[in-house]
Amino acid sequence: DEAGGGADFSLHQLLRVMGQEEGQCCSSTALVFDSISSLLLHHSSSLVCRVLHQLGAHGIALLCLVHSDLHDSHVIQQLSHVTNCSISVSPAVHVTGGVFLCR
């Protein structure tokens, strides 16, 4: 861990949790992060994107949910570049008539 106090976040650790070995083909594997924002709050975006890139290089399909109101546009662009699909959520917006819509 780069900060010296958080949970381990590395390619090796993620592959171990998934029951995969480095070098093993993972082409039928998909990894979904239900809010990658929590990882980005504890680790640098460059580390998170580097690990995501490594996972993709192992053939793992990636889907990341990210809270776009918590991160700047540069981080969102980095994530879009290294993942197969990302879902951005932002706070609800009030529309005339009392209907709330998500952006």
Side-chain angles (χ1 to χ4, degrees):
D1 153 50
E2 65 190 20
D8 185 22
F9 179 69
S10 65
L11 174 65
H12 176 72
Q13 178 68 12
L14 286 172
L15 290 174
R16 187 183 65 77
V17 168
M18 294 168 52
Q20 304 287 333
E21 299 287 331
E22 282 195 59
Q24 184 179 12
C25 181
C26 304
S27 61
S28 63
T29 304
L31 185 57
V32 177
F33 289 90
D34 182 7
S35 186
I36 201 153
S37 293
S38 58
L39 280 172
L40 290 166
L41 294 174
H42 298 287
H43 301 284
S44 70
S45 62
S46 60
L47 172 65
V48 171
C49 288
R50 183 173 59 246
V51 172
L52 292 176
H53 177 75
Q54 292 170 335
L55 289 167
H58 276 76
I60 297 170
L62 300 168
L63 170 67
C64 297
L65 176 72
V66 61
H67 294 269
S68 58
D69 58 320
L70 298 179
H71 312 288
D72 64 34
S73 61
H74 179 73
V75 171
I76 303 300
Q77 289 174 343
Q78 283 180 308
L79 288 171
S80 294
H81 181 73
V82 297
T83 59
N84 300 92
C85 182
S86 59
I87 300 172
S88 295
V89 294
S90 33
V93 178
H94 185 267
V95 177
T96 307
V99 178
F100 287 91
L101 300 173
C102 289
R103 285 189 264 163

